[in-house]
Amino acid sequence: MVRAALHSSRPLYKRWYLWTLLVLLIGYIVAVVLHWDDRAELWVQEWTQNSAQRKASIWLPDYKAVIDGKHLPGMEGDEASDITYHSGTRTLFAVMGKNPYLTELSLQGDVLRKMPLNGWKNPEAVTALPDGRLAIIDERQHQLTVVKVDADTRELNIADFASFDLGPSTDQNKAFEALAWDPHNQRLLLGEERPPALFSLKLGSDGQPTGEKQRLNAPDLDMRNLSALAVDPRTGHRLLLSADSHLLMEYDEAGKQWSFMTLLGGMNGLKDTIPRAEGVTIDDEGTLYLVSEPNLFYVLRKQ
């Protein structure tokens, strides 16, 4: 009877063993795909940072949402693609990708004006330049255009401005989607969406892009795609946003990871997961502003 009992238990044990292996294998694959292993390593690195190092960085773990998913009225079908802080007007400018618009917002996410971008096909990135102009990337046309917007501007025509050809990308359908002004090095930073990569581009004395873009030597960007870029004017650190990874990461100029923020519900004061974060910017006081498709607006401040 003992032998019979042992014999009958063996198939159950084998099934349990196989199911355990399958669950562990699936868990491992999910962890690698979602970079949980890398997140764990970065968490450990964060714990070892002392207070002085944290003060010298943006330090994303200390940020909490103070405006959480505010709907931008009338833009449900426009698909918010990027956002930038304009220090001259102390307002925000956002580009809409599906229906090309440039929208000016207050720091609380109130719509001040909505300007059609005539001639743009798919504007995906925008950044404010030190002279007050704006640079806009059209991902589909693979070009960058520097435009001037004043208080009387009601629409923009691409034919009125010079455009710079950004050249081919590794994946032409997932090309340049990120753009930021780097005040510490007086240059533009550009980012390819997939595979994620960073480039720099200088502006000439006329304020227009000049020369060839230069690929930046940096470690592998630890994210599935690159949606947006921002540079902190205080520290010079870079913020890299990934919609696919639900992740905002802080790097220094040498490519060292300093901190990160997961854009999931329940984290950093977010009630719900940010559905598809496409744009990020930071003002001169360190406040973060994000936009997500279709028309969601977020503000996060350091507590």
Side-chain angles (χ1 to χ4, degrees):
M1 291 180 64
V2 173
R3 288 182 178 178
L6 289 173
H7 180 74
S8 63
S9 66
R10 284 174 183 169
L12 293 175
Y13 173 78
K14 288 180 179 179
R15 286 197 295 271
W16 176 86
Y17 181 75
L18 291 173
W19 274 110
T20 301
L21 285 178
L22 180 61
V23 170
L24 290 174
L25 178 61
I26 293 174
Y28 174 77
I29 293 173
V30 170
V32 170
V33 170
L34 297 180
H35 297 281
W36 288 348
D37 52 340
D38 299 317
R39 294 291 81 72
E41 180 181 353
L42 188 52
W43 259 315
V44 172
Q45 292 176 12
E46 285 185 344
W47 291 339
T48 62
Q49 301 278 11
N50 59 43
S51 59
Q53 290 172 318
R54 295 183 182 190
K55 289 180 180 178
S57 69
I58 302 171
W59 201 250
L60 294 172
D62 286 347
Y63 277 80
K64 302 294 181 185
V66 294
I67 297 180
D68 187 1
K70 179 177 180 177
H71 287 262
L72 300 175
M75 301 182 194
E76 294 79 4
D78 295 335
E79 294 186 358
S81 295
D82 198 12
I83 191 169
T84 188
Y85 171 72
H86 194 297
S87 60
T89 60
R90 294 196 61 80
T91 59
L92 304 163
F93 287 88
V95 287
M96 305 292 151
K98 186 175 181 180
N99 299 310
Y101 279 94
L102 177 68
T103 303
E104 186 175 10
L105 306 170
S106 74
L107 301 184
Q108 292 73 42
D110 300 316
V111 177
L112 303 178
R113 54 177 165 165
K114 188 176 178 182
M115 296 161 278
L117 291 174
N118 301 318
W120 279 265
K121 302 298 183 183
N122 186 29
E124 284 290 335
V126 62
T127 193
L129 300 178
D131 62 2
R133 294 181 300 163
L134 299 173
I136 301 173
I137 282 181
D138 190 302
E139 184 181 27
R140 190 175 304 166
Q141 299 181 118
H142 304 279
Q143 65 184 22
L144 181 148
T145 307
V146 178
V147 304
K148 180 176 177 57
V149 177
D150 58 31
D152 297 323
T153 302
R154 292 296 175 263
E155 64 179 5
L156 293 165
N157 298 296
I158 198 169
D160 294 337
F161 307 98
S163 292
F164 182 87
D165 184 4
L166 295 175
S169 298
T170 303
D171 184 343
Q172 289 292 86
N173 294 319
K174 299 293 181 181
F176 288 97
E177 189 166 326
L179 180 66
W181 175 250
D182 178 1
H184 288 245
N185 295 288
Q186 294 294 294
R187 63 184 179 178
L188 286 168
L189 297 182
L190 304 92
E192 282 188 325
E193 180 184 5
R194 189 179 291 117
L198 291 179
F199 298 81
S200 67
L201 183 63
K202 289 289 188 179
L203 297 183
S205 57
D206 59 353
Q208 294 295 326
T210 183
E212 297 291 330
K213 65 181 187 295
Q214 303 295 320
R215 183 160 186 151
L216 297 179
N217 293 321
D220 289 338
L221 299 179
D222 185 19
M223 50 186 58
R224 294 168 61 190
N225 80 316
L226 177 58
S227 302
L229 273 171
V231 178
D232 180 14
R234 305 161 306 160
T235 64
H237 285 193
R238 303 165 183 166
L239 290 170
L240 278 67
L241 179 67
S242 173
D244 289 351
S245 298
H246 293 289
L247 190 66
L248 180 63
M249 297 195 69
E250 176 189 3
Y251 290 81
D252 64 17
E253 189 175 333
K256 174 188 173 183
Q257 297 177 349
W258 279 75
S259 67
F260 74 101
M261 178 194 303
T262 56
L263 306 177
L264 303 177
M267 306 295 290
N268 294 88
L270 295 169
K271 181 180 178 181
D272 299 310
T273 297
I274 298 180
R276 186 161 187 84
E278 290 287 342
V280 63
T281 192
I282 184 169
D283 67 18
D284 44 21
E285 296 179 352
T287 302
L288 295 175
Y289 307 89
L290 288 89
V291 287
S292 169
E293 292 181 358
N295 64 329
L296 301 178
F297 174 80
Y298 300 81
V299 178
L300 296 99
R301 291 198 181 96
K302 202 167 186 177
Q303 302 298 306

